[in-house]
Each structure stands twice: as C-alpha cells, then as structure tokens.
Amino acid sequence: AQTVTQSQPEMSVQEAETVTLSCTYDTSESDYYLFWYKQPPSRQMILVIRQEAYKQQNATENRFSVNFQKAAKSFSLKISDSQLGDAAMYFCASLSSNYKLTFGKGTLLTVNP
Amino acid sequence: GAGVSQSPSNKVTEKGKDVELRCDPISGHTALYWYRQSLGQGLEFLIYFQGNSAPDKSGLPSDRFSAERTGGSVSTLTIQRTQQEDSAVYLCASRPGGVLVVEQFFGPGTRLTVL
C-alpha cells in the first residue's frame, strides 16, 4: 500500500516570494508517478506538476518546480514569485501500477498581498 | 472539449435516504474513478472502472455504497441509507485509459450533506 504525508496543514507566503510545500511518500513499487494538485475554493482539482520516478531530473512548469529525492522518498513543491491566484489547497499524490491515486491530506496555502 | 461534469453540484439529504450522484467523463475516456473528500482530509479512493473489466471496488467503505457505469460512459454512485458520516465532497475523475497516459482529469465534485 502507498502512503503520502503532508506535514504542513497550512502555509503562508508574501506575494512575489517563494514558498516550498513538503511531501513524503512510501511505496514498495519501483515504477510510480508523483503529482501535485491544486484545489481552489471551486473544488476543481487542477494538475500542477508531475514527476516520473524513473527520471532523475526534477520537473519544472513555469513558476512551479519540484525537488524529488527518491532515496529519501521526498517530493516537495516550490512556488516561485507567488501570486494571489496561487492561494488554494495543494495535494501531493502518488500513482501506483494499478493507476489509483493516493493523496496526502493537503496543505492550505495563503498568499498575502 | 468539455471536461468531466458532475451533478448535482450540491445535495442535501436526510439521514436514512438514498442518494445518487452522477458523473459524465470526458468523451473517449475509458477509465473512471470516484473519490471521497471528507472535511480536512485528502481524497480517498472509492472505485475504479476500466473499460469492460470488472470494477475495482476495494475503496468502497461499506455495502451501502455502490456504483455502476452504463455503456462505458456515464457513472452513478449510489449511497443507500445515508449516514451523517457520509457527508463529504464526492469527486469523479476520468483518464484516456492507455498504459502510458496517467493523468486523471477531475470534475468539480458533488458536495453531499446528510442532516
């Protein structure tokens, strides 16, 4: 079974600053994917970034990047130049070979103007 | 194209009543998932349909929960004899189904409140 842990229930950041959200996971599989999803108050889950476990290079999508430490089973999300629209609940998730997602409990990000 | 849609957006029911929640996946997506998001919790897997294969029901919390998918498209999640602990947001997601396509596309969810 897979587990995903997000140890920060809430985080805050000043607009234009950088923030890092933490995530650790546990899996017995050798092939897996990791994701960060954003959920604004509209409830719509939006994929922010994904990482294939077999890739050593950290994924980057514009202002969003990850620090993937496979041996430590750590997968943190860095948001650079934070914007007011980044305020949301962020979920870390892992995908196993049976294509089911396992989610952490989420981190509520507040962006202060 | 259209994304995943769910109806109703919100549902309020009384304890003991049955409810049906509907999910319309993206056209052509063969994989469909149901998740439950309780207050302050992450998403919890409920059930997974893939094409014509038998669904993976391993996440259903009790036999009061069931789901079906008609014609490989629309899915209905049914909760019988609802309890207050069933109050949650129920999210549906779909995926194209190819082995190399892993991203799931989510609908806006149905917020269920059991009084």
Coordinates of all heavy atoms in Angstrom, one line a residue, chain B residues 48-85:
Chain B
Y48 N -13.0 2.2 -9.2 CA -12.3 2.4 -10.4 C -12.9 1.5 -11.5 O -12.9 0.3 -11.3 CB -10.8 2.2 -10.2 CG -9.9 2.0 -11.4 CD1 -10.1 2.7 -12.6 CD2 -8.8 1.1 -11.4 CE1 -9.3 2.6 -13.7 CE2 -8.0 1.0 -12.5 CZ -8.2 1.7 -13.6 OH -7.3 1.6 -14.7
F49 N -13.3 2.1 -12.6 CA -13.8 1.4 -13.8 C -12.8 1.5 -14.9 O -12.3 2.6 -15.2 CB -15.1 2.0 -14.3 CG -16.3 1.9 -13.3 CD1 -16.5 2.9 -12.4 CD2 -17.1 0.8 -13.4 CE1 -17.6 2.8 -11.5 CE2 -18.2 0.7 -12.5 CZ -18.4 1.7 -11.6
Q50 N -12.4 0.5 -15.6 CA -11.6 0.5 -16.7 C -12.2 -0.3 -17.8 O -12.2 -1.6 -17.8 CB -10.2 0.0 -16.4 CG -9.3 -0.2 -17.6 CD -9.0 1.1 -18.3 OE1 -8.5 2.0 -17.8 NE2 -9.5 1.1 -19.6
G51 N -12.7 0.3 -18.8 CA -13.3 -0.3 -20.0 C -14.3 -1.3 -19.6 O -15.2 -1.0 -18.8
N52 N -14.3 -2.5 -20.1 CA -15.2 -3.6 -19.8 C -14.8 -4.5 -18.7 O -15.5 -5.5 -18.4 CB -15.5 -4.4 -21.1 CG -16.1 -3.6 -22.2 OD1 -17.0 -2.8 -21.9 ND2 -15.7 -3.8 -23.4
S53 N -13.7 -4.2 -18.0 CA -13.2 -5.0 -17.0 C -14.1 -4.8 -15.7 O -14.8 -3.8 -15.6 CB -11.8 -4.6 -16.6 OG -10.9 -4.8 -17.7
A54 N -14.0 -5.8 -14.8 CA -14.7 -5.7 -13.6 C -14.2 -4.6 -12.8 O -13.0 -4.4 -12.7 CB -14.6 -7.0 -12.8
P55 N -15.0 -3.7 -12.2 CA -14.5 -2.6 -11.5 C -13.7 -3.0 -10.2 O -14.0 -4.0 -9.6 CB -15.8 -1.8 -11.1 CG -16.9 -2.8 -11.1 CD -16.5 -3.8 -12.2
D56 N -12.8 -2.1 -9.9 CA -12.0 -2.2 -8.6 C -12.8 -1.5 -7.5 O -12.8 -0.3 -7.5 CB -10.7 -1.6 -8.8 CG -9.8 -1.7 -7.5 OD1 -10.3 -2.0 -6.4 OD2 -8.6 -1.5 -7.6
K57 N -13.5 -2.3 -6.7 CA -14.3 -1.7 -5.6 C -13.7 -1.7 -4.3 O -14.3 -1.5 -3.2 CB -15.6 -2.6 -5.5 CG -16.4 -2.8 -6.8 CD -17.6 -3.6 -6.5 CE -18.4 -3.9 -7.8 NZ -19.6 -4.7 -7.5
S58 N -12.3 -1.8 -4.3 CA -11.6 -2.0 -3.0 C -11.7 -0.9 -2.0 O -11.5 -1.0 -0.8 CB -10.2 -2.4 -3.3 OG -9.6 -1.3 -4.0
G59 N -12.1 0.3 -2.5 CA -12.2 1.5 -1.7 C -13.5 1.8 -1.1 O -13.7 2.7 -0.3
L60 N -14.6 1.1 -1.5 CA -15.9 1.4 -1.0 C -16.0 1.1 0.5 O -15.6 0.0 0.9 CB -16.9 0.5 -1.8 CG -17.1 0.8 -3.3 CD1 -18.1 -0.1 -3.9 CD2 -17.5 2.3 -3.5
P61 N -16.4 2.1 1.3 CA -16.3 1.9 2.7 C -17.3 1.0 3.4 O -17.1 0.5 4.5 CB -16.6 3.3 3.3 CG -17.3 4.0 2.2 CD -16.9 3.4 0.9
S62 N -18.4 0.7 2.7 CA -19.4 -0.2 3.2 C -20.3 -0.7 2.1 O -20.3 -0.1 1.0 CB -20.3 0.5 4.3 OG -21.2 1.3 3.7
D63 N -21.2 -1.7 2.4 CA -22.1 -2.2 1.3 C -23.2 -1.2 1.0 O -24.0 -1.5 0.2 CB -22.6 -3.6 1.7 CG -23.3 -3.6 3.0 OD1 -23.6 -2.5 3.6 OD2 -23.6 -4.7 3.5
R64 N -23.3 -0.1 1.7 CA -24.3 0.9 1.4 C -23.9 1.7 0.1 O -24.7 2.4 -0.5 CB -24.5 1.9 2.5 CG -25.0 1.2 3.8 CD -25.3 2.3 4.9 NE -24.1 3.0 5.3 CZ -23.8 4.2 5.0 NH1 -24.6 4.9 4.2 NH2 -22.7 4.8 5.5
F65 N -22.6 1.6 -0.2 CA -22.1 2.3 -1.4 C -22.0 1.3 -2.6 O -21.5 0.2 -2.5 CB -20.7 2.8 -1.1 CG -20.6 4.0 -0.2 CD1 -20.8 3.8 1.2 CD2 -20.3 5.2 -0.6 CE1 -20.8 4.9 2.1 CE2 -20.2 6.3 0.3 CZ -20.5 6.1 1.6
S66 N -22.4 1.8 -3.7 CA -22.3 1.1 -5.0 C -22.2 2.0 -6.1 O -22.5 3.2 -6.0 CB -23.5 0.1 -5.2 OG -24.7 0.9 -5.3
A67 N -21.7 1.5 -7.2 CA -21.5 2.4 -8.4 C -21.7 1.5 -9.6 O -21.4 0.3 -9.6 CB -20.2 3.1 -8.4
E68 N -22.2 2.2 -10.7 CA -22.2 1.5 -12.0 C -21.8 2.4 -13.1 O -21.9 3.7 -12.9 CB -23.6 0.9 -12.2 CG -24.7 2.0 -12.3 CD -26.1 1.3 -12.6 OE1 -26.2 0.1 -12.4 OE2 -27.0 2.1 -13.1
R69 N -21.5 1.8 -14.2 CA -21.1 2.7 -15.3 C -21.8 2.1 -16.5 O -21.5 0.9 -16.9 CB -19.6 2.7 -15.5 CG -19.1 3.7 -16.6 CD -17.7 3.7 -16.7 NE -17.3 4.8 -17.7 CZ -16.1 4.9 -18.2 NH1 -15.1 4.1 -17.8 NH2 -15.8 5.9 -19.0
T70 N -22.7 2.8 -17.1 CA -23.5 2.3 -18.2 C -22.9 2.7 -19.5 O -22.5 3.9 -19.8 CB -24.9 2.9 -18.1 OG1 -24.8 4.4 -18.1 CG2 -25.6 2.4 -16.9
G71 N -22.8 1.7 -20.4 CA -22.3 2.0 -21.8 C -20.9 2.5 -21.8 O -20.5 3.1 -22.8
G72 N -20.1 2.2 -20.8 CA -18.7 2.7 -20.8 C -18.6 4.2 -20.7 O -17.5 4.7 -20.9
S73 N -19.7 4.9 -20.3 CA -19.6 6.4 -20.2 C -20.0 6.9 -18.9 O -19.3 6.8 -17.9 CB -20.4 7.0 -21.3 OG -20.3 8.4 -21.3
V74 N -21.3 7.2 -18.8 CA -21.8 7.9 -17.5 C -21.7 6.9 -16.4 O -22.0 5.7 -16.5 CB -23.3 8.3 -17.7 CG1 -23.9 8.7 -16.4 CG2 -23.3 9.4 -18.8
S75 N -21.4 7.4 -15.2 CA -21.3 6.6 -14.0 C -22.2 7.2 -12.9 O -22.4 8.4 -12.8 CB -19.9 6.5 -13.5 OG -19.9 5.8 -12.3
T76 N -22.8 6.3 -12.1 CA -23.7 6.8 -11.0 C -23.1 6.1 -9.7 O -22.9 4.9 -9.7 CB -25.1 6.4 -11.2 OG1 -25.6 6.9 -12.4 CG2 -26.0 6.8 -10.0
L77 N -22.9 6.9 -8.7 CA -22.5 6.5 -7.4 C -23.8 6.5 -6.5 O -24.4 7.6 -6.4 CB -21.4 7.3 -6.8 CG -21.0 7.0 -5.4 CD1 -20.2 5.6 -5.3 CD2 -20.0 8.1 -4.8
T78 N -24.2 5.4 -5.9 CA -25.4 5.4 -5.1 C -25.0 5.1 -3.7 O -24.1 4.2 -3.4 CB -26.3 4.3 -5.6 OG1 -26.7 4.5 -6.9 CG2 -27.6 4.2 -4.7
I79 N -25.5 5.9 -2.8 CA -25.3 5.7 -1.3 C -26.7 5.4 -0.7 O -27.6 6.2 -0.8 CB -24.7 6.9 -0.6 CG1 -23.4 7.3 -1.4 CG2 -24.3 6.5 0.8 CD1 -22.8 8.6 -0.8
Q80 N -26.9 4.2 -0.2 CA -28.1 3.8 0.4 C -28.1 4.1 1.9 O -27.1 4.1 2.6 CB -28.4 2.3 0.2 CG -28.6 2.0 -1.3 CD -28.8 0.5 -1.4 OE1 -28.0 -0.3 -0.9 NE2 -29.8 0.1 -2.2
R81 N -29.3 4.5 2.4 CA -29.5 4.7 3.9 C -28.4 5.6 4.4 O -27.6 5.3 5.3 CB -29.4 3.3 4.6 CG -30.5 2.4 4.1 CD -30.4 1.0 4.9 NE -29.1 0.4 4.8 CZ -28.7 -0.3 3.8 NH1 -29.4 -0.5 2.7 NH2 -27.5 -0.9 3.9
T82 N -28.3 6.8 3.9 CA -27.2 7.7 4.2 C -27.0 8.0 5.7 O -28.0 8.0 6.4 CB -27.4 9.0 3.4 OG1 -28.7 9.6 3.7 CG2 -27.1 8.9 1.9
Q83 N -25.8 8.1 6.1 CA -25.4 8.5 7.5 C -24.7 9.8 7.5 O -24.2 10.3 6.4 CB -24.5 7.4 8.0 CG -25.1 6.0 8.0 CD -26.3 5.8 8.8 OE1 -26.3 6.2 10.0 NE2 -27.4 5.2 8.3
Q84 N -24.7 10.4 8.6 CA -24.1 11.7 8.7 C -22.6 11.7 8.3 O -22.0 12.6 7.8 CB -24.2 12.3 10.1 CG -25.7 12.8 10.4 CD -25.8 13.4 11.7 OE1 -25.1 13.2 12.7 NE2 -26.8 14.3 11.8
E85 N -21.9 10.6 8.6 CA -20.5 10.5 8.3 C -20.3 10.3 6.8 O -19.1 10.4 6.3 CB -19.9 9.3 9.0 CG -20.4 7.9 8.6 CD -21.5 7.4 9.7 OE1 -22.1 8.3 10.3 OE2 -21.6 6.2 9.8

